[in-house]
Amino acid sequence: MGNTNDDDERSFFSEAPMRPAAKAKATLDEKPHYLGHRDRLRERFALAGPDALPDYELLELLLFRLIPRADTKPAAKALLARFGTLAEVLGAPVGLLQEIKGIGPAVALDLKIVAATAQRMARGEVQGREVLSSWTQLLAYCRSVMAFEAREQFRILFLDKKNALIADEVQQTGTVDHTPVYPREVVRRALELSATAIILVHNHPSGDPTPSRADIEMTKEIIEAGKRLGIGVHDHVIIGRKGYSSMKGLLLI
């Protein structure tokens, strides 16, 4: 009886198709089509700046680093088709990102790292500054950290007597449509930080930033609790995916 392993090995090599040497060399010399595209896209970014590129191309540029050996255009377009905007892509949960073809756990985590970096930059724009004169930057920061959360968050911005930001804290995290808030805890924390004023912020995962009756009543309770101890409430801002509402601007407080 012959050597089975040797027979299998000979059979394997006898069935393997032979490729002409010239064709094999040409295949080795050919570069993937996406490499030239990457170079051209980088050059456009360098020469014309980010405003010259649509969202999907900016996302492609980012994915170049995260997915080094593949065409990233299909993944970039699929992400935007699923989530809508570049901001919503970066705000999406890791689990949902991984549902997109080509986005594995490592790439999904890297996208969240990029999102965290952007949030930290936005926070730096308002940290220690007079918040009321930096309202646009403040809203941009709140939107970046809250607009795309799947559950409600109740955040408090604590201000000193010059209305500079002392601290930014998530006080409570709730469900998709409710967050329990305790006025005494809000005021207690403000006293601990020696804050003289606060701005209340929470998100509506539904996307609609319209204040509910419960939102308005809870805000008035916090205002009353703060008055007794010299802590003012400048505003209560509700963040949605497409915009925000200011209770002060709506004359609700």
Side-chain angles (χ1 to χ4, degrees):
M1 187 170 180
N3 188 316
T4 303
N5 290 337
D6 289 343
D7 290 343
D8 289 344
E9 189 174 4
R10 284 194 299 272
S11 175
F12 172 80
F13 282 110
S14 68
E15 292 172 2
M18 296 296 292
R19 185 164 55 185
K23 187 175 180 181
K25 184 177 184 304
T27 302
L28 290 173
D29 290 340
E30 290 175 0
K31 292 183 178 180
H33 69 90
Y34 56 80
L35 293 182
H37 172 66
R38 290 184 173 201
D39 291 340
R40 290 189 296 273
L41 205 53
R42 287 192 184 98
E43 185 176 0
R44 279 177 54 206
F45 180 88
L47 294 176
D51 290 341
L53 277 65
D55 280 1
Y56 83 88
E57 288 185 333
L58 277 176
L59 190 51
E60 271 193 87
L61 282 172
L62 176 58
L63 292 174
F64 287 169
R65 297 295 181 185
L66 309 182
I67 310 173
R69 289 180 293 278
D71 182 1
T72 60
K73 183 184 288 186
K77 288 191 170 182
L79 284 165
L80 288 169
R82 171 68 182 276
F83 299 108
T85 66
L86 184 56
E88 287 174 296
V89 170
L90 295 178
V94 167
L96 293 183
L97 290 171
Q98 292 181 59
E99 293 179 2
I100 303 301
K101 184 178 179 181
I103 306 299
V107 175
L109 181 61
D110 284 343
L111 287 173
K112 300 309 296 182
I113 292 171
V114 172
T117 303
Q119 291 168 7
R120 194 68 59 86
M121 290 175 62
R123 183 176 180 178
E125 291 293 318
V126 295
Q127 187 73 44
R129 296 177 60 179
E130 204 279 308
V131 168
L132 300 183
S133 65
S134 308
W135 195 247
T136 300
Q137 291 91 335
L138 177 71
L139 291 174
Y141 165 65
C142 291
R143 186 170 186 273
S144 71
V145 296
M146 299 179 73
F148 309 111
E149 288 292 325
R151 295 188 296 169
E152 278 199 10
Q153 284 185 356
F154 183 75
R155 183 180 296 268
I156 307 174
L157 308 179
F158 298 94
L159 313 178
D160 65 15
K161 62 183 178 181
K162 295 182 179 180
N163 287 321
L165 185 63
I166 299 173
D168 159 32
E169 297 180 354
V170 175
Q171 189 82 356
Q172 296 286 341
T173 299
T175 64
V176 294
D177 60 1
H178 175 69
T179 305
V181 178
Y182 306 100
R184 285 188 303 174
E185 292 301 311
V186 173
V187 174
R188 181 186 62 79
R189 184 58 178 153
L191 292 172
E192 288 177 349
L193 294 171
S194 299
T196 57
I198 57 177
I199 297 174
L200 310 174
V201 190
H202 84 276
N203 63 311
H204 280 180
S206 67
D208 181 4
T210 304
S212 67
R213 182 176 296 278
D215 293 336
I216 298 168
E217 291 174 354
M218 174 265 293
T219 305
K220 289 180 177 179
E221 289 177 12
I222 294 174
I223 290 172
E224 288 302 314
K227 274 182 182 178
R228 302 186 191 105
L229 297 167
I231 297 168
V233 177
H234 285 320
D235 204 345
H236 186 167
V237 179
I238 301 174
I239 303 291
R241 283 189 173 88
K242 304 300 182 183
Y244 74 94
S245 292
S246 160
M247 286 197 189
K248 184 175 183 180
L250 293 171
L251 304 179
L252 296 173
I253 58 173

